[in-house]
Amino acid sequence: MVSTLFPSAFCFFFFFFFVCSPLFLFFCNASSALPESLPTLSFEEGYAQLFGGGNLILLRDGKRVRISLDERTGAGFASQDLYLHGFFSASIKLPADYAAGVVVAFYMSNGDVFPKTHDELDFEFLGNIRGREWRVQTNVYGNGSTAVGREERYELWFDPTEDFHRYSILWNHERITFYIDDIPIRETVRSEAMAGCFPSKPMSLYSTIWDGSGWATSGGRYKVNYRYAPYVAEFQDLVIHGCAVNPMDHSSACERPDATIYGSSTMEPEQRALMDGFRRKHMTYYYCYDHDRYPTPPAECKIDQIETRQYYGPDGVRYGGHRRRRRGGRHNRSSVAQAELHYKF
């Protein structure tokens, strides 16, 4: 009797334990929504100051990080480790009021380790003049492929200066997905067309604020005005859940299930529908449609001829709002777009 019941009881116990565990929740969410159960880190647990001295302040026992830009310096912090694949997230509140020329960045890079063949995944937040919204830009670089910028730019459906909003990057061997408030906004899939331009080397995670007066707002027309300084950005709900690697030989200490999760997660149809809807409504620049910049689009681009003719100008900027279709001014519009989209380094 005991020998008959024990396997069933054990299986039930194991099933109950596994289903209730954060690991199960991550497995369930790895292919559809983002994980809700991952622990957040304090600053001391996962980060180190990069620059800025007193312009970086820790609040709430290190669970919130405040970085600021003034006439002396900006500020930034970086992860203590390098990571090969994982899930990286922060809730961010951006500076209010006049913020032209100000750039806040949440990104991954290995430029300090591989200066000539670096990889990078960017969220860049571009400030604006009073009464104009912040813009969000994402970019993907691989193997030093900075000659081909893969920028996308979006408008937001909320005011990012009023409250914290969550920005996340899920990176695995096959794909990279950017999220805002758990809504996927961009997916880059490894393909033969991208060749070595798909990021594939360990990277650190960075958060910075700095002066981008030369390009960030209307191609440099509006610059940082330090009468409004300090410009303050705050970060909380810091999540690093990835495969840490040895900085010397880049060997990974990541074992299953992490390697399985980060190597196999895909997007469910419901999530893809959310992403497609976001991109139709909120994407304002798409590098694949920038024919002025790329007469021959990058190899990975899939061109929707109807969409590009009806909704985008030859500079890749979407028509609409204050950007209406007209014959005059196209070249001026393109030059501004090009200047704004210069790589930050």
Side-chain angles (χ1 to χ4, degrees), residues 9-116:
F10 178 80
C11 290
F12 175 79
F13 173 79
F14 179 82
F15 175 78
F16 178 80
F17 175 81
F18 184 68
V19 166
C20 293
S21 71
L23 182 61
F24 175 80
L25 295 177
F26 195 100
F27 267 109
C28 289
N29 287 297
S31 62
S32 55
L34 293 184
E36 298 291 341
S37 58
L38 294 179
T40 60
L41 300 176
S42 67
F43 184 85
E44 292 82 359
E45 289 174 319
Y47 298 89
Q49 184 165 0
L50 193 61
F51 68 99
N55 283 18
L56 186 150
I57 298 174
L58 303 182
L59 305 170
R60 298 187 178 181
D61 297 323
K63 290 288 189 177
R64 179 178 293 181
V65 186
R66 177 178 293 169
I67 56 176
S68 60
L69 169 68
D70 58 29
E71 61 277 3
R72 297 178 300 108
T73 184
F77 57 100
S79 61
Q80 296 173 10
D81 293 316
L82 287 163
Y83 296 90
L84 181 62
H85 307 149
F87 174 72
F88 309 90
S89 181
S91 294
I92 305 172
K93 185 178 180 181
L94 298 174
D97 203 5
Y98 182 99
V102 177
V103 179
V104 176
F106 176 67
Y107 66 105
M108 304 191 72
S109 178
N110 50 30
D112 56 336
V113 181
F114 304 100
K116 294 184 179 180

Side-chain angles (χ1 to χ4, degrees), residues 124-168:
E124 288 181 315
F125 306 91
L126 311 179
N128 218 326
I129 60 176
R130 184 182 290 116
R132 297 279 184 90
E133 300 83 0
W134 280 77
R135 282 84 39 80
V136 180
Q137 179 171 295
T138 63
N139 210 336
V140 175
Y141 294 111
N143 203 34
S145 60
T146 56
V148 180
R150 293 177 169 84
E151 299 95 341
E152 295 183 2
R153 185 173 290 178
Y154 326 94
E155 61 184 11
L156 296 171
W157 65 98
F158 53 80
D159 185 345
T161 72
E162 290 185 346
D163 205 350
F164 288 88
H165 291 269
R166 188 184 190 194
Y167 305 90
S168 308

Side-chain angles (χ1 to χ4, degrees), residues 285 290 292-293 315 333-342:
Y285 172 85
D290 192 341
D292 291 347
R293 188 180 185 188
D315 53 8
R333 210 168 54 228
S334 182
S335 64
V336 168
Q338 295 300 323
E340 285 189 333
L341 291 167
H342 275 169

Side-chain angles (χ1 to χ4, degrees), residues 220-241:
R221 178 182 178 186
Y222 300 105
K223 304 182 184 304
V224 173
N225 187 335
Y226 286 105
R227 290 186 301 168
Y228 299 98
Y231 297 96
V232 177
E234 293 186 303
F235 293 71
Q236 65 180 24
D237 303 325
L238 305 173
V239 174
I240 296 179
H241 198 266

Side-chain angles (χ1 to χ4, degrees), residues 116-261:
K116 294 184 179 180
T117 60
H118 92 288
D119 304 315
E120 189 163 333
L121 304 174
D122 291 337
F123 267 112
E124 288 181 315
F125 306 91
L126 311 179
N128 218 326
I129 60 176
R130 184 182 290 116
R132 297 279 184 90
E133 300 83 0
W134 280 77
R135 282 84 39 80
V136 180
Q137 179 171 295
T138 63
N139 210 336
V140 175
Y141 294 111
N143 203 34
S145 60
T146 56
V148 180
R150 293 177 169 84
E151 299 95 341
E152 295 183 2
R153 185 173 290 178
Y154 326 94
E155 61 184 11
L156 296 171
W157 65 98
F158 53 80
D159 185 345
T161 72
E162 290 185 346
D163 205 350
F164 288 88
H165 291 269
R166 188 184 190 194
Y167 305 90
S168 308
I169 300 171
L170 182 62
W171 170 40
N172 63 49
H173 179 73
E174 297 297 333
R175 66 194 70 237
I176 299 156
T177 310
F178 293 83
Y179 298 83
I180 298 178
D181 285 341
D182 298 352
I183 296 173
I185 66 165
R186 177 177 185 174
E187 181 184 46
T188 299
V189 179
R190 180 190 289 271
S191 64
E192 292 184 7
M194 286 195 72
C197 295
F198 187 91
S200 58
K201 298 185 293 295
M203 292 188 277
S204 298
L205 181 66
Y206 296 87
S207 302
T208 59
I209 185 170
W210 47 282
D211 186 331
S213 291
W215 66 276
T217 308
S218 298
R221 178 182 178 186
Y222 300 105
K223 304 182 184 304
V224 173
N225 187 335
Y226 286 105
R227 290 186 301 168
Y228 299 98
Y231 297 96
V232 177
E234 293 186 303
F235 293 71
Q236 65 180 24
D237 303 325
L238 305 173
V239 174
I240 296 179
H241 198 266
C243 301
V245 302
N246 186 311
M248 300 301 294
D249 61 11
H250 300 156
S251 61
S252 176
C254 185
E255 299 177 355
R256 292 188 178 185
D258 287 349
T260 302
I261 293 169

Side-chain angles (χ1 to χ4, degrees), residues 270-323:
E270 295 82 0
Q271 289 282 295
R272 189 165 299 282
L274 285 174
M275 182 177 72
D276 292 344
F278 170 88
R279 294 172 70 81
R280 284 194 301 270
K281 293 179 182 178
H282 299 290
M283 188 163 68
T284 60
Y285 172 85
Y286 187 28
Y287 75 96
C288 285
Y289 292 167
D290 192 341
H291 304 298
D292 291 347
R293 188 180 185 188
Y294 302 121
T296 300
E300 76 274 8
C301 290
K302 298 179 180 178
I303 306 299
D304 184 327
Q305 297 295 342
I306 296 178
E307 183 177 59
T308 187
R309 285 198 305 269
Q310 292 185 350
Y311 301 110
Y312 287 86
D315 53 8
V317 177
R318 186 182 182 95
Y319 298 125
H322 63 284
R323 299 294 305 279

